[in-house]
PDB file of all heavy atoms in Angstrom:
ATOM      1  N   GLY A   1       1.226   9.130 -11.085  1.00 97.00           N
ATOM      2  CA  GLY A   1       2.337   9.220 -12.146  1.00 97.00           C
ATOM      3  C   GLY A   1       1.921   9.669 -13.477  1.00 97.00           C
ATOM      4  O   GLY A   1       0.833   9.548 -13.941  1.00 97.00           O
ATOM      5  N   ALA A   2       2.682  10.476 -14.102  1.00 98.00           N
ATOM      6  CA  ALA A   2       2.431  11.072 -15.326  1.00 98.00           C
ATOM      7  C   ALA A   2       2.123  10.267 -16.427  1.00 98.00           C
ATOM      8  O   ALA A   2       1.189  10.372 -17.221  1.00 98.00           O
ATOM      9  CB  ALA A   2       3.450  12.046 -15.786  1.00 98.00           C
ATOM     10  N   ILE A   3       2.765   9.063 -16.529  1.00 98.00           N
ATOM     11  CA  ILE A   3       2.505   8.163 -17.682  1.00 98.00           C
ATOM     12  C   ILE A   3       1.189   7.549 -17.525  1.00 98.00           C
ATOM     13  O   ILE A   3       0.459   7.489 -18.432  1.00 98.00           O
ATOM     14  CB  ILE A   3       3.674   7.097 -17.739  1.00 98.00           C
ATOM     15  CG1 ILE A   3       4.999   7.717 -17.951  1.00 98.00           C
ATOM     16  CG2 ILE A   3       3.343   6.146 -18.844  1.00 98.00           C
ATOM     17  CD1 ILE A   3       6.253   6.763 -17.784  1.00 98.00           C
ATOM     18  N   GLY A   4       0.912   6.963 -16.236  1.00 98.00           N
ATOM     19  CA  GLY A   4      -0.324   6.389 -16.112  1.00 98.00           C
ATOM     20  C   GLY A   4      -1.482   7.406 -16.186  1.00 98.00           C
ATOM     21  O   GLY A   4      -2.688   6.907 -16.652  1.00 98.00           O
ATOM     22  N   PHE A   5      -1.306   8.491 -15.739  1.00 98.00           N
ATOM     23  CA  PHE A   5      -2.413   9.544 -15.752  1.00 98.00           C
ATOM     24  C   PHE A   5      -2.879  10.001 -17.124  1.00 98.00           C
ATOM     25  O   PHE A   5      -4.023  10.006 -17.523  1.00 98.00           O
ATOM     26  CB  PHE A   5      -1.989  10.921 -14.928  1.00 98.00           C
ATOM     27  CG  PHE A   5      -3.202  11.819 -15.057  1.00 98.00           C
ATOM     28  CD1 PHE A   5      -4.282  11.618 -14.296  1.00 98.00           C
ATOM     29  CD2 PHE A   5      -2.969  13.000 -15.762  1.00 98.00           C
ATOM     30  CE1 PHE A   5      -5.253  12.632 -14.291  1.00 98.00           C
ATOM     31  CE2 PHE A   5      -4.001  13.961 -15.725  1.00 98.00           C
ATOM     32  CZ  PHE A   5      -5.144  13.797 -14.988  1.00 98.00           C
ATOM     33  N   ALA A   6      -1.862   9.955 -17.997  1.00 98.00           N
ATOM     34  CA  ALA A   6      -2.105  10.282 -19.441  1.00 98.00           C
ATOM     35  C   ALA A   6      -2.953   9.002 -20.075  1.00 98.00           C
ATOM     36  O   ALA A   6      -3.928   9.240 -20.816  1.00 98.00           O
ATOM     37  CB  ALA A   6      -0.922  10.394 -20.323  1.00 98.00           C
ATOM     38  N   ILE A   7      -2.659   7.745 -19.684  1.00 98.00           N
ATOM     39  CA  ILE A   7      -3.334   6.686 -20.198  1.00 98.00           C
ATOM     40  C   ILE A   7      -4.877   6.631 -19.677  1.00 98.00           C
ATOM     41  O   ILE A   7      -5.782   6.452 -20.336  1.00 98.00           O
ATOM     42  CB  ILE A   7      -2.567   5.393 -19.833  1.00 98.00           C
ATOM     43  CG1 ILE A   7      -1.248   5.293 -20.640  1.00 98.00           C
ATOM     44  CG2 ILE A   7      -3.440   4.125 -20.155  1.00 98.00           C
ATOM     45  CD1 ILE A   7      -0.310   4.278 -20.215  1.00 98.00           C
ATOM     46  N   ASN A   8      -4.849   6.795 -18.193  1.00 98.00           N
ATOM     47  CA  ASN A   8      -6.195   6.622 -17.642  1.00 98.00           C
ATOM     48  C   ASN A   8      -7.116   7.837 -18.122  1.00 98.00           C
ATOM     49  O   ASN A   8      -8.289   7.655 -18.258  1.00 98.00           O
ATOM     50  CB  ASN A   8      -6.065   6.765 -16.100  1.00 98.00           C
ATOM     51  CG  ASN A   8      -5.715   5.416 -15.517  1.00 98.00           C
ATOM     52  OD1 ASN A   8      -6.102   4.384 -15.852  1.00 98.00           O
ATOM     53  ND2 ASN A   8      -4.779   5.429 -14.571  1.00 98.00           N
ATOM     54  N   SER A   9      -6.577   8.990 -18.384  1.00 98.00           N
ATOM     55  CA  SER A   9      -7.336  10.134 -18.952  1.00 98.00           C
ATOM     56  C   SER A   9      -7.900   9.682 -20.286  1.00 98.00           C
ATOM     57  O   SER A   9      -9.040   9.988 -20.641  1.00 98.00           O
ATOM     58  CB  SER A   9      -6.610  11.294 -18.972  1.00 98.00           C
ATOM     59  OG  SER A   9      -5.993  11.698 -17.741  1.00 98.00           O
ATOM     60  N   ALA A  10      -6.992   9.169 -21.166  1.00 97.00           N
ATOM     61  CA  ALA A  10      -7.391   8.891 -22.551  1.00 97.00           C
ATOM     62  C   ALA A  10      -8.343   7.617 -22.512  1.00 97.00           C
ATOM     63  O   ALA A  10      -9.196   7.731 -23.435  1.00 97.00           O
ATOM     64  CB  ALA A  10      -6.072   8.468 -23.255  1.00 97.00           C
ATOM     65  N   THR A  11      -8.247   6.810 -21.540  1.00 97.00           N
ATOM     66  CA  THR A  11      -9.252   5.630 -21.792  1.00 97.00           C
ATOM     67  C   THR A  11     -10.605   5.892 -21.018  1.00 97.00           C
ATOM     68  O   THR A  11     -11.395   5.107 -20.975  1.00 97.00           O
ATOM     69  CB  THR A  11      -8.598   4.451 -21.070  1.00 97.00           C
ATOM     70  OG1 THR A  11      -8.174   4.663 -19.749  1.00 97.00           O
ATOM     71  CG2 THR A  11      -7.366   3.943 -21.935  1.00 97.00           C
ATOM     72  N   GLY A  12     -10.698   7.042 -20.406  1.00 97.00           N
ATOM     73  CA  GLY A  12     -11.925   7.434 -19.804  1.00 97.00           C
ATOM     74  C   GLY A  12     -12.230   6.763 -18.521  1.00 97.00           C
ATOM     75  O   GLY A  12     -13.471   6.412 -18.160  1.00 97.00           O
ATOM     76  N   ALA A  13     -11.169   6.564 -17.572  1.00 98.00           N
ATOM     77  CA  ALA A  13     -11.276   5.862 -16.312  1.00 98.00           C
ATOM     78  C   ALA A  13     -12.176   6.737 -15.336  1.00 98.00           C
ATOM     79  O   ALA A  13     -12.124   8.033 -15.597  1.00 98.00           O
ATOM     80  CB  ALA A  13     -10.080   5.630 -15.638  1.00 98.00           C
ATOM     81  N   HIS A  14     -12.940   6.214 -14.498  1.00 98.00           N
ATOM     82  CA  HIS A  14     -13.635   6.776 -13.433  1.00 98.00           C
ATOM     83  C   HIS A  14     -13.033   6.512 -12.063  1.00 98.00           C
ATOM     84  O   HIS A  14     -12.268   5.676 -12.019  1.00 98.00           O
ATOM     85  CB  HIS A  14     -15.086   6.278 -13.460  1.00 98.00           C
ATOM     86  CG  HIS A  14     -15.788   6.251 -14.734  1.00 98.00           C
ATOM     87  ND1 HIS A  14     -16.315   7.393 -15.230  1.00 98.00           N
ATOM     88  CD2 HIS A  14     -15.969   5.185 -15.596  1.00 98.00           C
ATOM     89  CE1 HIS A  14     -16.824   7.152 -16.495  1.00 98.00           C
ATOM     90  NE2 HIS A  14     -16.641   5.799 -16.550  1.00 98.00           N
ATOM     91  N   ALA A  15     -13.404   7.150 -11.025  1.00 98.00           N
ATOM     92  CA  ALA A  15     -12.693   6.985  -9.739  1.00 98.00           C
ATOM     93  C   ALA A  15     -13.782   7.011  -8.647  1.00 98.00           C
ATOM     94  O   ALA A  15     -14.668   8.002  -8.737  1.00 98.00           O
ATOM     95  CB  ALA A  15     -11.595   8.062  -9.447  1.00 98.00           C
ATOM     96  N   ILE A  16     -13.674   6.313  -7.552  1.00 98.00           N
ATOM     97  CA  ILE A  16     -14.445   6.347  -6.383  1.00 98.00           C
ATOM     98  C   ILE A  16     -13.442   6.428  -5.221  1.00 98.00           C
ATOM     99  O   ILE A  16     -12.240   5.964  -5.379  1.00 98.00           O
ATOM    100  CB  ILE A  16     -15.469   5.272  -6.228  1.00 98.00           C
ATOM    101  CG1 ILE A  16     -14.697   3.953  -6.183  1.00 98.00           C
ATOM    102  CG2 ILE A  16     -16.407   5.216  -7.406  1.00 98.00           C
ATOM    103  CD1 ILE A  16     -15.607   2.740  -5.638  1.00 98.00           C
ATOM    104  N   ALA A  17     -13.857   6.795  -3.991  1.00 98.00           N
ATOM    105  CA  ALA A  17     -13.048   6.714  -2.800  1.00 98.00           C
ATOM    106  C   ALA A  17     -13.852   6.005  -1.702  1.00 98.00           C
ATOM    107  O   ALA A  17     -15.070   6.226  -1.654  1.00 98.00           O
ATOM    108  CB  ALA A  17     -12.655   8.251  -2.409  1.00 98.00           C
ATOM    109  N   VAL A  18     -13.025   5.303  -0.948  1.00 98.00           N
ATOM    110  CA  VAL A  18     -13.845   4.584   0.279  1.00 98.00           C
ATOM    111  C   VAL A  18     -13.118   4.914   1.527  1.00 98.00           C
ATOM    112  O   VAL A  18     -11.909   5.277   1.537  1.00 98.00           O
ATOM    113  CB  VAL A  18     -13.802   2.936   0.021  1.00 98.00           C
ATOM    114  CG1 VAL A  18     -14.514   2.708  -1.294  1.00 98.00           C
ATOM    115  CG2 VAL A  18     -12.378   2.501  -0.040  1.00 98.00           C
ATOM    116  N   SER A  19     -13.817   4.790   2.752  1.00 98.00           N
ATOM    117  CA  SER A  19     -13.274   4.997   3.952  1.00 98.00           C
ATOM    118  C   SER A  19     -12.378   3.950   4.458  1.00 98.00           C
ATOM    119  O   SER A  19     -12.462   2.727   4.023  1.00 98.00           O
ATOM    120  CB  SER A  19     -14.464   5.381   4.960  1.00 98.00           C
ATOM    121  OG  SER A  19     -15.167   4.137   5.177  1.00 98.00           O
ATOM    122  N   ASP A  20     -11.509   4.231   5.445  1.00 98.00           N
ATOM    123  CA  ASP A  20     -10.738   3.128   6.030  1.00 98.00           C
ATOM    124  C   ASP A  20     -11.750   2.044   6.661  1.00 98.00           C
ATOM    125  O   ASP A  20     -11.407   0.887   6.668  1.00 98.00           O
ATOM    126  CB  ASP A  20      -9.986   3.681   7.309  1.00 98.00           C
ATOM    127  CG  ASP A  20      -8.615   4.216   6.689  1.00 98.00           C
ATOM    128  OD1 ASP A  20      -8.396   4.155   5.499  1.00 98.00           O
ATOM    129  OD2 ASP A  20      -7.758   4.621   7.480  1.00 98.00           O
ATOM    130  N   ALA A  21     -12.836   2.563   7.263  1.00 98.00           N
ATOM    131  CA  ALA A  21     -13.730   1.559   7.730  1.00 98.00           C
ATOM    132  C   ALA A  21     -14.384   0.647   6.810  1.00 98.00           C
ATOM    133  O   ALA A  21     -14.549  -0.651   7.024  1.00 98.00           O
ATOM    134  CB  ALA A  21     -14.925   2.287   8.595  1.00 98.00           C
ATOM    135  N   GLU A  22     -14.697   1.149   5.605  1.00 98.00           N
ATOM    136  CA  GLU A  22     -15.180   0.384   4.496  1.00 98.00           C
ATOM    137  C   GLU A  22     -14.146  -0.602   4.038  1.00 98.00           C
ATOM    138  O   GLU A  22     -14.388  -1.708   3.672  1.00 98.00           O
ATOM    139  CB  GLU A  22     -15.718   1.246   3.418  1.00 98.00           C
ATOM    140  CG  GLU A  22     -17.000   2.024   3.767  1.00 98.00           C
ATOM    141  CD  GLU A  22     -17.384   3.161   2.835  1.00 98.00           C
ATOM    142  OE1 GLU A  22     -16.553   3.664   2.128  1.00 98.00           O
ATOM    143  OE2 GLU A  22     -18.531   3.478   2.825  1.00 98.00           O
ATOM    144  N   ALA A  23     -12.871  -0.058   3.953  1.00 98.00           N
ATOM    145  CA  ALA A  23     -11.902  -0.987   3.439  1.00 98.00           C
ATOM    146  C   ALA A  23     -11.586  -2.211   4.472  1.00 98.00           C
ATOM    147  O   ALA A  23     -11.482  -3.387   4.067  1.00 98.00           O
ATOM    148  CB  ALA A  23     -10.448  -0.259   3.258  1.00 98.00           C
ATOM    149  N   LEU A  24     -11.656  -1.819   5.682  1.00 98.00           N
ATOM    150  CA  LEU A  24     -11.539  -2.916   6.749  1.00 98.00           C
ATOM    151  C   LEU A  24     -12.695  -3.933   6.776  1.00 98.00           C
ATOM    152  O   LEU A  24     -12.522  -5.131   6.960  1.00 98.00           O
ATOM    153  CB  LEU A  24     -11.436  -2.335   8.219  1.00 98.00           C
ATOM    154  CG  LEU A  24      -9.950  -1.640   8.335  1.00 98.00           C
ATOM    155  CD1 LEU A  24     -10.005  -0.944   9.721  1.00 98.00           C
ATOM    156  CD2 LEU A  24      -8.889  -2.720   8.402  1.00 98.00           C
ATOM    157  N   ALA A  25     -13.791  -3.345   6.524  1.00 98.00           N
ATOM    158  CA  ALA A  25     -15.097  -4.163   6.333  1.00 98.00           C
ATOM    159  C   ALA A  25     -14.844  -5.130   5.258  1.00 98.00           C
ATOM    160  O   ALA A  25     -15.366  -6.261   5.229  1.00 98.00           O
ATOM    161  CB  ALA A  25     -16.341  -3.294   6.342  1.00 98.00           C
ATOM    162  N   ALA A  26     -14.333  -4.765   4.102  1.00 98.00           N
ATOM    163  CA  ALA A  26     -14.115  -5.491   3.003  1.00 98.00           C
ATOM    164  C   ALA A  26     -13.097  -6.667   3.262  1.00 98.00           C
ATOM    165  O   ALA A  26     -13.174  -7.724   2.785  1.00 98.00           O
ATOM    166  CB  ALA A  26     -13.728  -4.632   1.671  1.00 98.00           C
ATOM    167  N   VAL A  27     -11.989  -6.248   4.014  1.00 98.00           N
ATOM    168  CA  VAL A  27     -11.045  -7.267   4.392  1.00 98.00           C
ATOM    169  C   VAL A  27     -11.722  -8.373   5.244  1.00 98.00           C
ATOM    170  O   VAL A  27     -11.470  -9.522   5.043  1.00 98.00           O
ATOM    171  CB  VAL A  27      -9.956  -6.600   5.259  1.00 98.00           C
ATOM    172  CG1 VAL A  27      -9.128  -7.721   5.976  1.00 98.00           C
ATOM    173  CG2 VAL A  27      -9.114  -5.723   4.573  1.00 98.00           C
ATOM    174  N   ALA A  28     -12.631  -8.010   6.090  1.00 98.00           N
ATOM    175  CA  ALA A  28     -13.283  -8.909   6.972  1.00 98.00           C
ATOM    176  C   ALA A  28     -14.312  -9.843   6.099  1.00 98.00           C
ATOM    177  O   ALA A  28     -14.356 -11.030   6.280  1.00 98.00           O
ATOM    178  CB  ALA A  28     -14.117  -8.228   8.051  1.00 98.00           C
ATOM    179  N   PHE A  29     -14.997  -9.130   5.140  1.00 98.00           N
ATOM    180  CA  PHE A  29     -15.909  -9.899   4.281  1.00 98.00           C
ATOM    181  C   PHE A  29     -15.101 -10.959   3.489  1.00 98.00           C
ATOM    182  O   PHE A  29     -15.504 -12.102   3.281  1.00 98.00           O
ATOM    183  CB  PHE A  29     -16.523  -8.922   3.399  1.00 98.00           C
ATOM    184  CG  PHE A  29     -17.556  -9.580   2.353  1.00 98.00           C
ATOM    185  CD1 PHE A  29     -18.799  -9.770   2.679  1.00 98.00           C
ATOM    186  CD2 PHE A  29     -17.164 -10.056   1.126  1.00 98.00           C
ATOM    187  CE1 PHE A  29     -19.750 -10.394   1.819  1.00 98.00           C
ATOM    188  CE2 PHE A  29     -17.960 -10.631   0.178  1.00 98.00           C
ATOM    189  CZ  PHE A  29     -19.432 -10.915   0.699  1.00 98.00           C
ATOM    190  N   ALA A  30     -13.918 -10.522   2.925  1.00 98.00           N
ATOM    191  CA  ALA A  30     -13.106 -11.446   2.092  1.00 98.00           C
ATOM    192  C   ALA A  30     -12.732 -12.560   2.924  1.00 98.00           C
ATOM    193  O   ALA A  30     -12.714 -13.873   2.482  1.00 98.00           O
ATOM    194  CB  ALA A  30     -11.934 -10.665   1.592  1.00 98.00           C
ATOM    195  N   PHE A  31     -12.305 -12.393   4.218  1.00 98.00           N
ATOM    196  CA  PHE A  31     -11.816 -13.459   5.070  1.00 98.00           C
ATOM    197  C   PHE A  31     -12.898 -14.443   5.382  1.00 98.00           C
ATOM    198  O   PHE A  31     -12.834 -15.585   5.345  1.00 98.00           O
ATOM    199  CB  PHE A  31     -11.241 -12.896   6.299  1.00 98.00           C
ATOM    200  CG  PHE A  31     -10.580 -13.960   7.403  1.00 98.00           C
ATOM    201  CD1 PHE A  31      -9.159 -14.265   6.973  1.00 98.00           C
ATOM    202  CD2 PHE A  31     -11.240 -14.364   8.350  1.00 98.00           C
ATOM    203  CE1 PHE A  31      -8.678 -15.276   7.830  1.00 98.00           C
ATOM    204  CE2 PHE A  31     -10.632 -15.341   9.215  1.00 98.00           C
ATOM    205  CZ  PHE A  31      -9.312 -15.696   8.978  1.00 98.00           C
ATOM    206  N   ARG A  32     -14.158 -13.806   5.919  1.00 98.00           N
ATOM    207  CA  ARG A  32     -15.172 -14.679   6.392  1.00 98.00           C
ATOM    208  C   ARG A  32     -16.070 -15.358   5.300  1.00 98.00           C
ATOM    209  O   ARG A  32     -16.212 -16.640   5.502  1.00 98.00           O
ATOM    210  CB  ARG A  32     -16.057 -13.694   7.242  1.00 98.00           C
ATOM    211  CG  ARG A  32     -15.484 -13.276   8.538  1.00 98.00           C
ATOM    212  CD  ARG A  32     -16.619 -12.624   9.472  1.00 98.00           C
ATOM    213  NE  ARG A  32     -16.031 -12.289  10.683  1.00 98.00           N
ATOM    214  CZ  ARG A  32     -15.870 -10.928  11.150  1.00 98.00           C
ATOM    215  NH1 ARG A  32     -16.199 -10.071  10.297  1.00 98.00           N
ATOM    216  NH2 ARG A  32     -15.339 -10.690  12.376  1.00 98.00           N
ATOM    217  N   THR A  33     -16.260 -14.596   4.227  1.00 97.00           N
ATOM    218  CA  THR A  33     -17.227 -15.003   3.175  1.00 97.00           C
ATOM    219  C   THR A  33     -16.500 -15.736   2.022  1.00 97.00           C
ATOM    220  O   THR A  33     -16.882 -16.617   1.538  1.00 97.00           O
ATOM    221  CB  THR A  33     -18.197 -13.985   2.781  1.00 97.00           C
ATOM    222  OG1 THR A  33     -18.813 -13.471   3.927  1.00 97.00           O
ATOM    223  CG2 THR A  33     -19.138 -14.558   1.765  1.00 97.00           C
ATOM    224  N   LEU A  34     -15.485 -14.962   1.571  1.00 97.00           N
ATOM    225  CA  LEU A  34     -14.721 -15.460   0.398  1.00 97.00           C
ATOM    226  C   LEU A  34     -13.678 -16.432   0.680  1.00 97.00           C
ATOM    227  O   LEU A  34     -13.194 -17.176  -0.180  1.00 97.00           O
ATOM    228  CB  LEU A  34     -14.266 -14.220  -0.403  1.00 97.00           C
ATOM    229  CG  LEU A  34     -15.141 -13.153  -0.720  1.00 97.00           C
ATOM    230  CD1 LEU A  34     -14.486 -11.978  -1.424  1.00 97.00           C
ATOM    231  CD2 LEU A  34     -16.305 -13.666  -1.598  1.00 97.00           C
ATOM    232  N   LYS A  35     -13.274 -16.452   1.943  1.00 97.00           N
ATOM    233  CA  LYS A  35     -12.105 -17.378   2.501  1.00 97.00           C
ATOM    234  C   LYS A  35     -10.873 -16.896   1.834  1.00 97.00           C
ATOM    235  O   LYS A  35     -10.018 -17.779   1.450  1.00 97.00           O
ATOM    236  CB  LYS A  35     -12.446 -18.840   2.255  1.00 97.00           C
ATOM    237  CG  LYS A  35     -13.792 -19.204   2.654  1.00 97.00           C
ATOM    238  CD  LYS A  35     -14.007 -18.893   4.154  1.00 97.00           C
ATOM    239  CE  LYS A  35     -15.394 -19.216   4.544  1.00 97.00           C
ATOM    240  NZ  LYS A  35     -15.800 -18.857   5.929  1.00 97.00           N
ATOM    241  N   LEU A  36     -10.620 -15.636   1.698  1.00 98.00           N
ATOM    242  CA  LEU A  36      -9.511 -14.975   1.004  1.00 98.00           C
ATOM    243  C   LEU A  36      -8.916 -14.039   2.076  1.00 98.00           C
ATOM    244  O   LEU A  36      -9.532 -13.226   2.596  1.00 98.00           O
ATOM    245  CB  LEU A  36      -9.750 -14.329  -0.321  1.00 98.00           C
ATOM    246  CG  LEU A  36     -10.253 -15.262  -1.414  1.00 98.00           C
ATOM    247  CD1 LEU A  36     -10.835 -14.391  -2.584  1.00 98.00           C
ATOM    248  CD2 LEU A  36      -9.094 -16.160  -1.957  1.00 98.00           C
ATOM    249  N   VAL A  37      -7.499 -13.972   2.095  1.00 98.00           N
ATOM    250  CA  VAL A  37      -6.882 -12.973   2.880  1.00 98.00           C
ATOM    251  C   VAL A  37      -6.454 -11.788   1.903  1.00 98.00           C
ATOM    252  O   VAL A  37      -5.686 -12.036   0.941  1.00 98.00           O
ATOM    253  CB  VAL A  37      -5.609 -13.557   3.441  1.00 98.00           C
ATOM    254  CG1 VAL A  37      -4.815 -12.497   4.181  1.00 98.00           C
ATOM    255  CG2 VAL A  37      -5.937 -14.742   4.457  1.00 98.00           C
ATOM    256  N   VAL A  38      -6.876 -10.681   2.245  1.00 98.00           N
ATOM    257  CA  VAL A  38      -6.715  -9.405   1.380  1.00 98.00           C
ATOM    258  C   VAL A  38      -6.195  -8.276   2.343  1.00 98.00           C
ATOM    259  O   VAL A  38      -6.819  -8.142   3.443  1.00 98.00           O
ATOM    260  CB  VAL A  38      -7.940  -9.088   0.588  1.00 98.00           C
ATOM    261  CG1 VAL A  38      -7.588  -7.856  -0.352  1.00 98.00           C
ATOM    262  CG2 VAL A  38      -8.491 -10.283  -0.056  1.00 98.00           C
ATOM    263  N   GLU A  39      -5.286  -7.421   1.917  1.00 97.00           N
ATOM    264  CA  GLU A  39      -4.938  -6.414   2.903  1.00 97.00           C
ATOM    265  C   GLU A  39      -5.816  -5.161   2.468  1.00 97.00           C
ATOM    266  O   GLU A  39      -6.499  -5.198   1.413  1.00 97.00           O
ATOM    267  CB  GLU A  39      -3.406  -5.996   2.512  1.00 97.00           C
ATOM    268  CG  GLU A  39      -3.249  -5.533   1.018  1.00 97.00           C
ATOM    269  CD  GLU A  39      -1.803  -5.390   0.720  1.00 97.00           C
ATOM    270  OE1 GLU A  39      -1.206  -4.256   1.147  1.00 97.00           O
ATOM    271  OE2 GLU A  39      -1.161  -6.193   0.281  1.00 97.00           O
ATOM    272  N   PRO A  40      -5.913  -4.210   3.289  1.00 98.00           N
ATOM    273  CA  PRO A  40      -6.871  -3.028   3.073  1.00 98.00           C
ATOM    274  C   PRO A  40      -6.630  -2.360   1.701  1.00 98.00           C
ATOM    275  O   PRO A  40      -7.674  -2.180   1.074  1.00 98.00           O
ATOM    276  CB  PRO A  40      -6.736  -2.074   4.225  1.00 98.00           C
ATOM    277  CG  PRO A  40      -6.088  -3.023   5.354  1.00 98.00           C
ATOM    278  CD  PRO A  40      -5.224  -3.983   4.681  1.00 98.00           C
ATOM    279  N   GLY A  41      -5.536  -2.077   1.360  1.00 97.00           N
ATOM    280  CA  GLY A  41      -5.312  -1.476   0.076  1.00 97.00           C
ATOM    281  C   GLY A  41      -5.669  -2.402  -1.060  1.00 97.00           C
ATOM    282  O   GLY A  41      -6.264  -1.913  -2.123  1.00 97.00           O
TER     283      GLY A  41
END
């Protein structure tokens, strides 16, 4: 979105990308270890 992009650019945000497999592994870790239910996104 244009509004958010202007803010994120001004505040110097960084970005990383993760695979679907890594997102699902994090869901499993959250469930098993943290005892929290989290969706992939």
Side-chain angles (χ1 to χ4, degrees):
I3 300 172
F5 181 69
I7 295 170
N8 280 318
S9 298
T11 56
H14 312 278
I16 62 166
V18 301
S19 68
D20 275 6
E22 289 166 335
L24 289 170
V27 168
F29 180 89
F31 186 83
R32 291 191 176 111
T33 304
L34 306 177
K35 311 306 178 187
L36 292 169
V37 177
V38 187
E39 64 187 279

